[in-house]
Amino acid sequence: MCDCPARQSLVDCTCSCDHTNDRLIQLREKIRAYENECENRWRWLKSTVNLQLYGFEEPLPKTGSDLADYITVNATALTAELGEALKEVGWKPWSQPRGWLNRSAFLGECVDMGHFLANMLAAAGISDDEWEAAYQRKQQVNLERQARGYDTRKEKCPACGRAYDDNGVRCRPAQTNEAGVYPDERMPYCEDYGTLEITTA
């Protein structure tokens, strides 16, 4: 925060007090050092951590109640921005003309969504490398699903709806032995609800 009476964030402060100028100079130096460290490769989540720390004095990642509150606020903001993005697209099937796009405004709202998504990821301590690896893994999973003919009735947990092949999911489908019997260890299992009861029609 700025030390002037208004106590504004450095991003919003327009005063010319020495404290603000010194902080802005320090911020620019830190950003330059970071860019040199990354060989001028922009890193989405690292830049978010820097923005929150140096611009808003909001250190990331977070833990405990602080993490829960921060995620909730940013998820709510992301949802609101999604609604604003929809206002820039003619998506309603009952309204004509359909399919128009205010491209510039739509992009701006999507950038806002990205900002709040990045806040959530950075708050959880997720790095750019982790994000890229997880995103690429999911793209590969989606390609494999399409190649085999993805059947959500068979490939998602009937209790919680998680896909069995998603990263980190511990749910498992029912499996029968050769006699068509469900041994205890092969009953369907949901990580939220435990062992699921098998019913036959």
Side-chain angles (χ1 to χ4, degrees):
M1 298 295 286
C2 172
D3 275 347
C4 62
R7 298 285 294 166
Q8 300 172 3
S9 75
L10 289 174
V11 171
D12 297 327
C13 186
T14 57
C15 76
S16 58
C17 65
D18 290 339
H19 172 74
T20 301
N21 290 334
D22 290 346
R23 287 293 305 277
L24 288 173
I25 289 168
Q26 291 171 1
L27 173 58
R28 288 189 190 107
E29 288 172 355
K30 287 178 181 178
I31 289 172
R32 258 189 230 104
Y34 160 71
E35 287 174 347
N36 290 337
E37 177 187 318
C38 294
E39 298 177 342
N40 294 322
R41 180 181 174 204
W42 183 71
R43 305 293 283 162
W44 180 44
L45 298 178
K46 181 65 174 174
S47 67
T48 295
V49 169
N50 286 339
L51 172 65
Q52 292 302 314
L53 180 60
Y54 303 128
F56 300 101
E57 298 183 357
E58 190 73 65
L60 299 176
K62 295 190 175 292
T63 58
S65 293
D66 288 340
L67 173 66
D69 293 343
Y70 195 79
I71 294 282
T72 301
V73 167
N74 280 276
T76 302
L78 192 157
T79 304
E81 295 295 343
L82 176 60
E84 291 179 17
L86 279 174
K87 293 177 183 176
E88 306 302 336
V89 182
W91 62 270
K92 299 174 183 177
W94 58 86
S95 180
Q96 298 299 321
R98 188 165 190 251
W100 57 265
L101 172 66
N102 184 350
R103 192 173 185 275
S104 177
F106 178 76
L107 173 61
E109 301 300 347
C110 289
V111 167
D112 290 343
M113 284 190 284
H115 174 79
F116 294 116
L117 177 59
N119 285 348
M120 292 165 56
L121 292 165
I126 295 168
S127 70
D128 287 284
D129 290 338
E130 286 179 281
W131 169 257
E132 289 172 12
Y135 197 93
Q136 289 167 0
R137 266 196 312 272
K138 187 56 183 275
Q139 284 184 325
Q140 187 60 40
V141 165
N142 287 342
L143 285 171
E144 290 168 1
R145 286 175 178 176
Q146 292 305 310
R148 71 175 180 261
Y150 188 53
D151 185 341
T152 58
R153 294 168 299 172
K154 295 178 182 174
E155 299 189 44
K156 285 191 173 187
C157 176
C160 70
R162 293 184 182 99
Y164 295 124
D165 61 355
D166 270 346
N167 195 37
V169 173
R170 294 185 301 271
C171 302
R172 67 170 183 262
Q175 298 174 352
T176 59
N177 61 19
E178 293 160 3
V181 177
Y182 293 99
D184 287 343
E185 67 274 11
R186 296 202 177 183
M187 293 286 279
Y189 175 81
C190 173
E191 62 183 284
D192 288 343
Y193 299 101
T195 302
L196 304 176
E197 183 179 345
I198 296 291
T199 59
T200 56

